[in-house]
Amino acid sequence: MSDVQAIVNEITAEVQGQRNSEYPVSPLFLNRWSTRAFSNREVSDQDLYTVLDAAHWAPSASNGQPWRFIVARTEEQRSVFHQFIHELNLAWVSSAPVLIVVASDKLKENGEPNVAHAFDAGAAWASMAIQATMLGLFTHAMGGFDRNKSRQMLNIPDNFEIHAVIALGYKGDKSALPEAIRQREVPNSRRPLNELVYEGKME
């Protein structure tokens, strides 16, 4: 069985005991988790653009595809991103080889408000994360960054909402993380499903 097949078909050793689904969902969904320990190993063009291509096939309202991805993969590009990422996140994300800002257009092509733009961008991010997991890559979405500064430095127009910075890369050695972060470097669990699902109406 290939590594990709194993990720799709089997719970990985690091996830076992940490995550248990209540129903028979694919192990792929449990194996996707947000590491903070990234290796500085480069991500190939093929894998990077496979991940981005998966995101661009996500569903969107009226096929509007409001998402945009701004990618930093060279040292020079990453150094710009590092200037608007908050210090606590920079302590671990500085080793990630790829950083991606996810934004979405708040307006439809006819200039009317697109009330679904953020929902659609979330679908694209989820597709990105799942495809990355299938390739043996890890992702971590963060909201700890200066949006105004990122807008200015990346030349993002005002009609785009900036949602997150995504770190993408291979898993590294957690011993390189600061102690406080190292203790959190495990796949987290989820609330019971019955706390999140309502049939008919919310109580």
Side-chain angles (χ1 to χ4, degrees), residues 26-60:
S26 167
L28 174 62
F29 291 92
L30 280 72
N31 289 335
R32 185 227 58 82
W33 65 282
S34 301
T35 187
R36 290 178 175 85
F38 282 95
S39 162
N40 60 9
R41 174 184 168 189
E42 289 189 9
V43 176
S44 70
D45 287 355
Q46 176 77 12
D47 285 351
L48 171 60
Y49 279 88
T50 297
V51 168
L52 294 169
D53 196 18
H56 120 272
W57 283 104
S60 63

Side-chain angles (χ1 to χ4, degrees), residues 11 27 49-50 52-53 67 70 84 86 88 93 102 106 114 117 128 136 143 148 156 158-159 172 184 187:
I11 301 294
Y49 279 88
T50 297
L52 294 169
D53 196 18
W67 47 70
I70 304 170
F84 56 74
H86 291 171
L88 288 176
V93 80
V102 178
K106 296 181 288 186
N114 181 356
H117 73 93
M128 180 188 300
N148 290 331
I156 300 173
D158 289 341
N159 57 297
R184 300 162 57 191

Side-chain angles (χ1 to χ4, degrees), residues 13-35:
E14 63 187 349
V15 171
Q16 287 180 1
Q18 302 289 338
R19 292 181 159 186
N20 296 289
S21 61
E22 299 176 47
Y23 293 89
V25 299
S26 167
L28 174 62
F29 291 92
L30 280 72
N31 289 335
R32 185 227 58 82
W33 65 282
S34 301
T35 187

Side-chain angles (χ1 to χ4, degrees), residues 180-195:
I181 297 176
R182 195 183 315 156
Q183 295 174 359
R184 300 162 57 191
E185 187 62 9
V186 293
N188 53 23
S189 189
R190 293 294 185 269
R191 297 177 183 178
L193 191 60
N194 62 12
E195 291 185 8

Side-chain angles (χ1 to χ4, degrees), residues 35-38 88-96 140 142 167 177 181:
T35 187
R36 290 178 175 85
F38 282 95
L88 288 176
N89 285 330
L90 203 56
W92 57 267
V93 80
S94 57
S95 60
H140 192 123
M142 73 194 88
L177 295 171
I181 297 176

